[in-house]
Amino acid sequence: RTSTYSHELIVSPTDISAQYKKSVSFYQLENLIEADAISMLRSLGVRGSTEQISEAARAVDCSPMTLRLLGNYLRLMHEGRAVKWRELDLLDEDAKQGNKIFRMLRQYSRWLEKSDNIVWSLVGFFRRPATQLEIETLWNSLSASLAQAEQPNMGELKRALSRLSELGLLYPSTPSTYLDCHPVIRQYQRSLHDTASKTWLNGHLALGNLLENSVGEKPSSLTEFLLT
């Protein structure tokens, strides 16, 4: 079997089926075979005997996404030592802990700097890729209250985006998609938001004002309104 872990095909079935209706075919992607999972962890800088790395791979069911999260975490936090996976709560069967991907993402939430966590949380406000203007609007509106300190500057926003992209927690920014991520990561961040909180309401109010201000006073048609 050919290993393709370096180039994952990641889609959101809900978003795609809503947009393209019946013109899309869906395929169930299997987890990696154990040999490929071991190779993937090694390529991410995980060190140890084959048995130690194999044990870490089996702990996350050889899932490509979770392997990447685990491999990066072990390299950054534990100098790549494979045995350190045992210090994580990946095998905790408590339903409240969520699935293994969520448990791995929770480790990053605990480890990331506050400004990185603030930027990462912004993906939870969207069900689609966000534009640069939308993210800068949210950042200006919410970063001070979320950090409970002086509002970080735009340079800090860009640095956080770069760090999160390097970790695989966000996709690299492009001119058309300034902030985007794997649908599971978006779901994780949405689960952390209190939808009755001031932060949630103020964030959507800021985005609503942005949309309102981007539209002319009297669009001549619905098409003009949607294309503005």
Side-chain angles (χ1 to χ4, degrees), residues 70-198:
L70 176 62
N72 284 337
Y73 187 84
L74 291 174
R75 184 184 72 253
L76 294 166
M77 287 294 293
H78 300 293
E79 299 177 334
R81 288 174 289 174
V83 295
K84 287 295 184 176
W85 80 265
R86 298 170 187 163
E87 298 180 7
L88 308 178
D89 63 355
L90 297 176
L91 298 183
D92 186 350
E93 293 302 325
D94 183 353
K96 294 181 180 178
Q97 295 295 319
N99 59 38
K100 291 180 181 179
I101 294 179
F102 270 36
R103 296 175 198 183
M104 198 65 244
L105 292 171
R106 193 175 297 113
Q107 296 295 329
Y108 279 93
S109 292
R110 295 168 182 161
W111 172 71
L112 289 171
E113 296 178 6
K114 182 175 287 187
S115 59
D116 292 347
N117 260 319
I118 293 172
V119 174
W120 196 25
S121 74
L122 300 184
V123 299
F125 283 85
F126 301 89
R127 296 184 182 274
R128 54 165 176 77
T131 66
Q132 181 172 350
L133 183 56
E134 288 170 332
I135 292 306
E136 290 179 350
T137 297
L138 270 183
W139 177 253
N140 288 329
S141 174
L142 301 179
S143 55
S145 60
L146 287 172
Q148 297 179 340
E150 182 179 351
Q151 180 170 306
N153 58 35
M154 298 308 295
E156 185 56 38
L157 168 63
K158 293 178 180 179
R159 285 190 290 273
L161 288 171
S162 177
R163 287 191 294 265
L164 293 166
S165 174
E166 290 173 1
L167 292 171
L169 300 176
L170 294 178
Y171 295 152
S173 295
T174 69
S176 58
T177 57
Y178 193 68
L179 187 74
D180 195 14
C181 64
H182 190 288
V184 174
I185 294 178
R186 188 188 309 281
Q187 181 184 0
Y188 168 73
Q189 283 296 340
R190 288 183 71 85
S191 75
L192 299 182
H193 283 290
D194 176 1
T195 55
S197 69
K198 259 183 148 179

